[in-house]
């Protein structure tokens, strides 16, 4: 009998990597874990239909894995994977849900017409809830962050970094790429360059000077770019977690960001490190960029690593071993 089947929605590369990291932490805690990943789904026109297709794919993956592995616990990651969950496979099977953002928060109006009520039911039915960051409405959830580690031997001094700023532009509307580009056009000086990653590469008409679209980079290439950058700039309209910002902090970038609704894990860290770099809205973003590039706070990178202690792999492994696995296995 397998200890845990982890049902991975896997709709993005980031989700797949986060689920593999969680599976690894469970295995290091002594559990036998099988990851069941939903089959990839093509794009459709609406969020409601998108979620339905992914939920059905997750249901099929879960049903196959439960029948084959006869697990003691099934952990659904994320909530969409749990919406249409199959029969548990036995009365004693523990069902758990891992989430970062909920449909109640990020599926307003018609976009979540069927997901929101079903999500509420599933959250009540789950024996264990696992949150990527603290959620005020679900304080009993076990908080298990996605672990973040520096990608190099040490953070280079800001003066040694040859890229002025980096931003992550996948899902440009949600990430506020237009806001970042507008602020960069006002803030840029001389030969400074903003590198945009996560979108298609190439030159784009109407983009301000000093912007380079690097395309979708492999993880090791992306982290190497962060080690060369002085600042990471973000202005999201909503941030469900913000792993890119946490990785930037881990690799020694100064984080310039505006607040955003959602469980934005890096936001309180950025405010504590240097409040000048967290303006109240997009209008203050250009001045914050200049503060980061012209007058970085002393010891920023070292203080950022200290603030990331709860997100380091060792701390996450400890939470998984001491709290999550006993909750899943009833021990």
């Amino acid at each position: 009998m397998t200890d845990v089947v982890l049902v991975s929605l896997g709709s993005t590369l980031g989700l797949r990597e986060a689920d593999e990291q969680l599976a690894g932490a469970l295995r290091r805690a002594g559990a036998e874990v099988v990851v069941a990943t939903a089959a990839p789904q093509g794009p459709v026109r609406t969020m409601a239909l998108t979620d339905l297709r992914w939920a059905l794919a997750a249901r099929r993956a879960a049903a196959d894995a439960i029948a084959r592995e006869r697990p003691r616990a099934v952990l659904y990651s994320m909530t969409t994977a749990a919406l249409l969950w199959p029969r548990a496979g036995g009365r004693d099977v523990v069902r758990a849900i891992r989430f970062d953002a909920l449909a109640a928060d990020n599926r307003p109006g018609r976009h979540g017409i069927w997901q929101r009520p079903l999500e509420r039911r599933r959250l009540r039915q789950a024996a264990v809830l696992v949150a990527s960051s603290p959620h005020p409405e679900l304080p009993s959830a076990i908080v298990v962050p996605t672990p973040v580690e520096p990608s190099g031997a040490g953070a280079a001094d800001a003066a040694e970094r040859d890229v002025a700023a980096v931003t992550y532009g996948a899902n440009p509307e949600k990430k506020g790429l237009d806001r970042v580009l507008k602020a960069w056009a006002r803030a840029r000086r001389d030969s400074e360059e903003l590198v945009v990653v996560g979108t298609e590469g190439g030159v784009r008409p109407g983009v301000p000077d000093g912007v380079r679209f690097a395309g979708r980079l492999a993880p090791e290439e992306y982290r190497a770019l962060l080690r060369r950058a002085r600042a990471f700039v973000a202005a999201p309209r909503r941030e469900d977690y913000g792993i890119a910002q946490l990785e930037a902090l881990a690799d020694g970038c100064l984080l310039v960001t505006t607040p955003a609704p959602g469980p934005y894990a890096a936001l309180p860290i950025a405010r504590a490190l240097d409040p000048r770099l967290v303006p109240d809205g997009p209008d203050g973003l250009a001045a914050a960029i200049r503060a980061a590039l012209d007058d970085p706070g002393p010891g920023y990178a070292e203080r950022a690593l200290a603030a990331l202690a709860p997100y380091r792999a060792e701390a996450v492994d400890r939470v998984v071993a001491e709290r999550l696995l006993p909750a899943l296995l009833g021990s």
Side-chain angles (χ1 to χ4, degrees):
M1 182 180 288
T2 297
D3 290 318
V4 181
V5 164
L6 174 57
V7 182
S8 172
L9 189 67
S11 54
T12 67
L13 175 60
L15 286 179
R16 293 191 294 274
E17 291 178 346
D19 288 338
E20 286 296 338
Q21 289 173 325
L22 179 57
L26 287 165
R27 292 178 183 123
R28 288 190 292 274
E32 183 178 345
V33 182
V34 170
V35 178
T37 304
Q41 302 298 302
V44 292
R45 294 185 62 181
T46 68
M47 288 183 182
L49 182 56
T50 295
D51 289 344
L52 177 61
R53 288 166 62 94
W54 279 102
L56 286 169
R59 176 187 173 89
R60 289 189 288 268
D64 289 346
I66 291 169
R68 184 176 64 251
E69 305 294 338
R70 299 174 55 230
R72 297 169 63 185
V74 183
L75 174 55
Y76 291 88
S77 180
M78 298 285 181
T79 52
T80 302
L83 292 179
L84 301 178
W85 63 20
R87 294 175 62 88
R91 287 183 301 172
D92 298 329
V93 175
V94 173
R95 291 194 286 197
I97 298 175
R98 184 191 192 201
F99 65 91
D100 50 18
L102 301 177
D105 300 321
N106 66 4
R107 292 291 189 268
R110 62 183 177 82
H111 300 296
I113 191 168
W114 71 271
Q115 303 98 307
R116 292 191 302 271
L118 191 53
E119 177 185 76
R120 290 193 294 270
R121 188 189 314 168
R122 292 292 182 257
L123 292 172
R124 291 194 301 267
Q125 293 171 330
V128 181
L129 297 179
V130 186
S132 299
S133 57
H135 196 286
E137 296 181 15
L138 297 168
S140 63
I142 301 171
V143 178
V144 182
T146 300
V148 177
E149 292 289 326
S151 64
D157 185 87
E160 301 174 8
R161 294 173 176 244
D162 63 342
V163 175
V166 170
T167 191
Y168 187 71
N171 195 342
E173 174 68 17
K174 181 178 177 181
K175 296 298 182 184
L177 180 58
D178 58 321
R179 298 172 167 182
V180 173
L181 295 180
K182 182 178 179 181
W184 183 251
R186 294 168 52 202
R188 176 181 179 262
R189 292 180 185 165
D190 303 326
S191 60
E192 291 174 340
E193 184 179 59
L194 170 71
V195 180
V196 181
V197 298
T199 63
E200 295 299 332
V203 177
R204 300 189 180 191
V207 171
D209 293 338
V211 175
R212 175 165 61 91
F213 286 82
R216 295 183 174 91
L217 302 180
E220 59 274 12
E221 294 179 288
Y222 173 64
R223 298 302 293 273
L225 176 63
L226 291 179
R227 294 195 301 271
R228 294 172 52 199
R230 295 160 63 191
F232 184 96
V233 185
R237 289 180 168 86
R238 176 176 179 84
E239 191 56 84
D240 292 331
Y241 186 66
I243 189 65
Q245 290 91 318
L246 294 174
E247 290 175 338
L249 288 170
D251 280 337
C253 297
L254 284 80
L255 177 55
V256 181
T257 184
T258 54
Y264 190 174
L267 182 60
I269 298 175
R271 279 192 173 125
L273 289 170
D274 192 338
R276 300 175 305 155
L277 309 188
V278 188
D280 291 335
D283 290 344
L285 196 58
I289 292 171
R290 287 273 37 109
L293 297 179
D294 297 338
D295 186 25
Y300 186 100
E302 292 76 14
R303 291 186 289 116
L305 274 184
L308 288 173
Y311 297 87
R312 302 290 293 271
E314 182 179 359
V316 174
D317 279 0
R318 187 162 55 248
V319 173
V320 169
E322 296 177 359
R323 296 195 60 200
L324 177 57
L325 189 57
L328 292 175
L329 301 186
S331 58

